[in-house]
Amino acid sequence: MENLVYLFSCFLSCVIVAGLMFQLMGDRYEKAFVNPWVYRIAAAVAVVIITMVNLKRNALWNATTNFLIYSFIVFFFYGDRGIRKYWRVLETDCFFIVVALFEGIGVYGIDFLMEQLGLMPEDVVIGSSIEVAFSKLVLIFFYYALLRRFFKKDFRQSRTQVFLYLVMFLYSMVNFIILIIAAT
């Protein structure tokens, strides 16, 4: 049961990161292929491969696999007007580093919150699943509230949208606290 929970959290984590990576690539670059199934299959293959590597619980292998897969995809599946293939790869890799940074902030934040509230789960798998889920919540919040404006070419966002993102983020934090209390 614990392995199934960890597999699901790894899979969900990879789906969210792949979604953000493909959204970045789609926003910034022109697609090299007209058929949308090429990109759907590429995303599915990326998710499956990265999930399998992620299950090994080795940060170096995980980061290397993410860099290689997304670099390959942006190099061969996307283009732009200039001859900037290597620049696209560098931008995508830098964006992945930013994604990893915000995931780390989320893990640190939930660990700090659980420790301060005295709600550390005894089961390591449940604790790591909570960390994965909360880090993705933080990542999605910061991506849509802050990062997307830097990476999308034509972006407009109102203060009301940012306020709604903040309300949804706080509501989700309350839900996480309730789940943590139920798990302990």
Side-chain angles (χ1 to χ4, degrees):
M1 179 68 177
E2 291 176 354
N3 289 336
L4 187 61
V5 170
Y6 189 70
L7 171 67
F8 181 72
S9 67
C10 285
F11 174 75
L12 192 60
S13 169
C14 292
V15 166
I16 291 170
V17 170
L20 293 178
M21 296 297 288
F22 274 87
Q23 188 171 8
L24 168 85
M25 292 183 274
D27 286 346
R28 293 200 47 89
Y29 315 118
E30 295 174 14
K31 293 181 177 179
F33 302 103
V34 177
N35 190 349
W37 281 99
V38 171
Y39 298 94
R40 292 177 187 146
I41 292 170
V45 168
V47 166
V48 168
I49 292 172
I50 294 169
T51 300
M52 293 302 143
V53 171
N54 206 357
L55 289 175
K56 299 291 184 191
R57 298 181 187 195
N58 186 326
L60 182 62
W61 278 106
N62 188 21
T64 303
T65 304
N66 275 286
F67 283 129
L68 290 175
I69 286 178
Y70 293 122
S71 296
F72 177 83
I73 290 171
V74 78
F75 191 82
F76 291 108
F77 288 50
Y78 290 91
D80 54 6
R81 297 186 205 302
I83 307 172
R84 303 179 339 150
K85 286 186 177 188
Y86 301 110
W87 183 255
R88 284 195 316 266
V89 170
L90 183 63
E91 280 183 335
T92 305
D93 289 344
C94 288
F95 180 72
F96 180 74
I97 291 170
V98 171
V99 165
L101 173 72
F102 281 112
E103 283 184 285
I105 290 170
V107 169
Y108 177 75
I110 195 64
D111 284 345
F112 180 77
L113 185 65
M114 288 190 305
E115 187 176 308
Q116 293 301 314
L117 296 175
L119 299 173
M120 293 298 282
E122 294 177 14
D123 190 6
V124 175
V125 174
I126 297 296
S128 65
S129 296
I130 289 171
E131 287 174 348
V132 167
F134 189 78
S135 69
K136 295 309 176 253
L137 173 69
V138 169
L139 173 63
I140 291 170
F141 171 74
F142 279 112
Y143 177 75
Y144 284 106
L146 179 70
L147 293 176
R148 195 160 186 220
R149 73 180 64 219
F150 296 121
F151 291 109
K152 191 169 181 179
K153 291 179 183 175
D154 182 28
F155 182 74
R156 292 179 183 93
Q157 187 174 30
S158 69
R159 290 182 186 190
T160 305
Q161 286 175 313
V162 174
F163 177 73
L164 287 175
Y165 292 145
L166 183 62
V167 168
M168 289 187 298
F169 178 74
L170 294 174
Y171 177 75
S172 298
M173 283 187 60
V174 169
N175 283 336
F176 270 106
I177 292 171
I178 291 169
L179 287 173
I180 292 167
I181 291 171
T184 55

